[in-house]
Amino acid sequence: MSKYFKAKTVDNISLNKHFRLLNLSPLSDIDIPQPGQFYMLQAGDTYDPLLKRPFSIFRHEDNSLSFLYRIRGKGTLSLSHLKSGDIINAIGPLGNSYPEPHGDFIALAGGIGIASLLHLLAGFKNKAYLFYGARNKEELVMLNEAKAISKESFITTDDGSEGEKGLITDSLMKFFNSLPITHYPLPLYACGPTPMLRELSKVVAGKDIKCYVSLEEHMACGVGACLGCVIKTVSGYKRVCKEGPVFDIKYIIWE
Ligand code: FES
């Protein structure tokens, strides 16, 4: 099945001043996306590469695809102008996916990183210990939806406007400290800003824990051709869009 397709905009809902939810209906058959995979979406001028942006799949139901996004830059601004009935170019699903959890797991989301993890939470309802942090209450987008399908949730904000004040990685550290020493049985899935993931790499260092991170690197082509998304790993440079976006955290060289 071709990964290139056109889709019709069903709606493009404003959730608050930062975030929107775009619901699309593909105009042809598509492959079923797995949690962690992403799509390249392009609204507007098809010859402007700056308008093509990667978006994690947020929800897939029957013949609809949903994407949660934050308006930031030219690509997302052009996406925010889409109206019901508008046609958009899409490529996907792209990249690898989160390994399937067998039993309970930990999901760690920073800000818009929740978009990628919600698809995983929805597939494994009430199995996740959710750790979700953001700068403030407004940026904890889809918080109630995420809590409703999680086993237990731990929330932090930088300014203390929701949950505990502080970093979500500190909250995770406290959780680990409450477990028997050297006994960390739950796999961990994380998506969020690089500083959070770098901090996470320190939290899990030396612990016997499987930790998978989805990287949100800048991508231009999304299909492995431009090398604009390479990261350094223990086995050389890898393309986030092609060999990722999901990697074992211990495989990445954090600089
Ligand atoms: Fe072009 Fe990854 S975005 S190689």
Side-chain angles (χ1 to χ4, degrees):
M1 221 172 285
S2 173
K3 289 193 180 297
Y4 293 77
F5 63 93
K6 288 187 183 297
K8 187 159 80 174
T9 304
V10 177
D11 49 29
N12 193 5
I13 303 161
S14 173
L15 302 174
N16 63 31
K17 67 178 179 190
H18 302 295
F19 299 99
R20 280 180 169 258
L21 183 64
L22 175 66
N23 294 307
L24 299 176
S25 177
L27 298 180
S28 54
D29 289 343
I30 58 163
D31 289 331
I32 294 175
Q34 301 302 318
Q37 288 192 295
F38 69 96
Y39 288 77
M40 298 299 288
L41 301 181
Q42 181 169 28
D45 179 3
T46 54
Y47 297 104
D48 186 345
L50 293 176
L51 295 183
K52 200 191 320 173
R53 307 290 310 133
F55 297 92
S56 298
I57 177 70
F58 167 70
R59 188 186 296 137
H60 170 248
E61 277 170 357
D62 300 327
N63 194 35
S64 82
L65 297 171
S66 302
F67 299 91
L68 186 62
Y69 67 100
R70 183 189 179 110
I71 303 172
R72 184 166 41 190
K74 205 173 167 185
T76 45
L77 185 64
S78 73
L79 218 58
S80 73
H81 295 145
L82 284 172
K83 301 182 297 300
S84 289
D86 285 350
I87 302 297
I88 179 171
N89 293 305
I91 315 172
L94 298 169
N96 62 0
S97 55
Y98 294 113
E100 194 173 309
H102 300 284
D104 292 346
F105 63 97
I106 296 169
L108 179 84
I112 191 69
I114 195 70
S116 160
L117 288 167
L118 253 166
H119 195 197
L120 184 71
L121 298 182
F124 300 90
K125 288 198 176 89
N126 303 317
K127 294 284 182 198
Y129 291 88
L130 171 69
F131 288 77
Y132 185 12
R135 276 191 286 233
N136 53 50
K137 187 177 179 169
E138 270 197 332
E139 303 203 12
L140 284 168
V141 65
M142 294 283 172
L143 175 61
N144 291 336
E145 290 78 355
K147 280 165 97 171
I149 52 175
S150 298
K151 192 183 180 91
E152 202 174 333
S153 46
F154 303 82
I155 308 302
T156 64
T157 46
D158 294 356
D159 65 359
S161 53
E162 181 81 35
E164 265 190 52
K165 184 174 180 176
L167 298 177
I168 197 62
T169 42
D170 290 343
S171 178
L172 179 68
M173 192 61 158
K174 273 192 227 162
F175 178 75
F176 281 148
N177 288 340
S178 70
L179 297 174
I181 293 171
T182 70
H183 185 61
Y184 305 103
L186 304 179
L188 197 160
Y189 300 80
C191 186
T194 302
M196 183 196 86
L197 298 178
R198 187 180 293 113
E199 210 46 46
L200 176 63
S201 72
K202 295 176 197 161
V203 173
V204 300
K207 295 182 175 67
D208 184 17
I209 181 168
K210 272 282 171 208
C211 179
Y212 305 101
V213 293
S214 176
L215 301 182
E216 295 182 321
E217 292 293 315
H218 172 73
M219 294 184 203
C221 73
V223 293
C226 74
L227 304 184
C229 63
V230 290
I231 55 157
K232 218 170 171 181
T233 74
V234 292
S235 53
Y237 289 97
K238 300 288 174 193
R239 297 162 296 179
V240 172
C241 69
K242 204 69 182 170
E243 284 82 34
V246 178
F247 293 90
D248 185 322
I249 199 165
K250 290 177 182 158
Y251 188 70
I252 299 166
I253 296 175
W254 299 93
E255 296 178 316

